Amino acid sequence: MSVEIIGVRIDRLRSADIRERCAEWLLQKERRRLHQVVTVNPEFIMEAQRNSEFRKALNAAALSLADGIGLFFASWILYGWRSRLFRVTGVDFTWMLAELCAQNGSRVYLLGAGDGLAHAAAAVLQRRYPTLVIAGAEMGIPKVVAKTSDLLDKELCEKICSARPDVLLVAFGAPRQDLWIAHNASRMDGIAIAVGVGGTFDYLAGAVPYAPKWVRSIGFEWTYRLMTQPYRWRRIITAVIRFPIAVLRSKFF
Ligand code: UDP
């Protein structure tokens, strides 16, 4: 089952169901196709209002997860408690995939984030799951490159595929990561799951402080982010002010 929040579909699945679905995709070895996973937060939904290409990519994803307490409240307000979304963040999903891959021998490729962070994040995942096979870890496209050429994308995809990953984690930030996966899906031969994971590598590598568990459990990591990364205030306002207003407008007007 899924719900729609101002034009964006989000799947209503618990962690166990998500895990089961991913395990099935990974077990499928023959005629494998790519399954794009998106980890949607309120900023994604606001961006999707003005970026139709992004909205299409989100709605076409094989799995659309609710990242952010804002989506839980929005689904509750729009459709009632029984239809509320369950929260799975990019970091949670990455740990889940790492565990699954370590158990079934699938290979993971980490792409994106700042210099050395993909490597550092891979080391952290491998420390917790020693049997996890890292197919590759690299920055891929440096942040300063505003737009890549089709040729560069093609070469990067060939490089990634030659490492034979089953799972590709892409940390280019949204909407870039999700559009990049959607545009290059046909080039990702043999990969079962590709997911945009946002700032996950930064957190895993310890480059950005992660809010304590109790702060996360009450859905208040945005206040923590505001304190630790105040330059993100614009995005935080989008998530905690513009998004709730848009949700209420979609319900009542
Ligand atoms: N990033 C990147 N290329 C870009 C934009 C972002 O590699 O063009 C990286 C950035 O360095 C960070 C990650 O993507 O490691 C997530 O970025 P951001 O913090 O903006 O996303 P969020 O955590 O909010 O999803």
Side-chain angles (χ1 to χ4, degrees):
M1 184 203 153
S2 59
V3 301
E4 195 184 300
I5 298 182
I6 357 179
V8 177
R9 182 203 101 232
I10 311 187
D11 296 317
R12 188 175 178 273
L13 293 172
R14 291 176 195 271
S15 298
D17 303 321
I18 296 167
R19 204 190 138 93
E20 197 177 315
R21 204 173 278 196
C22 291
E24 269 169 32
W25 292 340
L26 287 169
L27 280 177
Q28 205 172 5
K29 300 282 181 211
E30 266 163 48
R31 280 192 291 157
R32 200 183 238 192
R33 73 172 183 89
L34 183 81
H35 300 88
Q36 178 168 5
V37 180
V38 291
T39 57
V40 180
N41 64 30
E43 292 127 271
F44 280 50
I45 295 189
M46 296 313 286
E47 171 69 22
Q49 303 307 303
R50 55 190 186 92
N51 182 341
S52 61
E53 207 187 338
F54 185 46
R55 188 171 64 240
K56 275 185 208 145
L58 294 179
N59 286 332
L63 193 56
S64 175
L65 306 177
D67 181 351
I69 194 83
L71 297 189
F72 159 78
F73 283 117
S75 59
W76 184 7
I77 288 167
L78 293 174
Y79 302 107
W81 179 253
R82 281 167 169 269
S83 302
R84 71 195 182 282
L85 289 168
F86 305 110
R87 197 175 167 212
V88 180
T89 68
V91 177
D92 297 338
F93 186 63
T94 299
W95 281 121
M96 179 193 292
L97 281 177
E99 189 189 26
L100 252 181
C101 291
Q103 283 169 357
N104 71 13
S106 298
R107 299 158 63 86
V108 181
Y109 201 107
L110 292 86
L111 178 72
D115 200 13
L117 292 177
H119 258 118
V124 171
L125 294 176
Q126 226 170 12
R127 209 169 306 139
R128 186 174 309 174
Y129 300 111
T131 57
L132 178 67
V133 182
I134 302 294
E138 60 163 314
M139 178 162 57
I141 305 162
K143 215 171 175 173
V144 288
V145 180
K147 205 174 181 316
T148 52
S149 70
D150 201 50
L151 185 66
L152 276 178
D153 281 350
K154 188 166 172 270
E155 281 173 6
L156 182 55
C157 289
E158 279 169 5
K159 184 179 173 197
I160 294 167
C161 290
S162 68
R164 292 182 298 106
D166 300 285
V167 169
L168 177 64
L169 308 175
V170 184
F172 291 158
R176 190 177 198 178
Q177 59 193 15
D178 309 284
L179 288 173
W180 190 84
I181 295 171
H183 286 158
N184 293 288
S186 62
R187 294 170 171 157
M188 296 186 189
D189 249 2
I191 302 179
I193 301 171
V195 52
V197 291
T200 298
F201 300 170
D202 306 51
Y203 291 124
L204 293 180
V208 167
Y210 203 33
K213 202 167 179 187
W214 70 269
V215 177
R216 282 184 275 137
S217 68
I218 57 167
F220 265 64
E221 61 258 58
W222 58 274
T223 48
Y224 191 81
R225 274 197 152 183
L226 192 56
M227 286 188 292
T228 53
Q229 299 172 277
Y231 57 86
R232 298 174 73 113
W233 67 271
R234 229 183 261 277
R235 293 177 50 173
I236 293 166
I237 283 183
T238 296
V240 301
I241 298 175
R242 290 183 56 225
F243 174 69
I245 291 173
V247 169
L248 291 174
R249 281 183 57 180
S250 81
K251 181 165 172 85
F252 297 111
F253 298 107

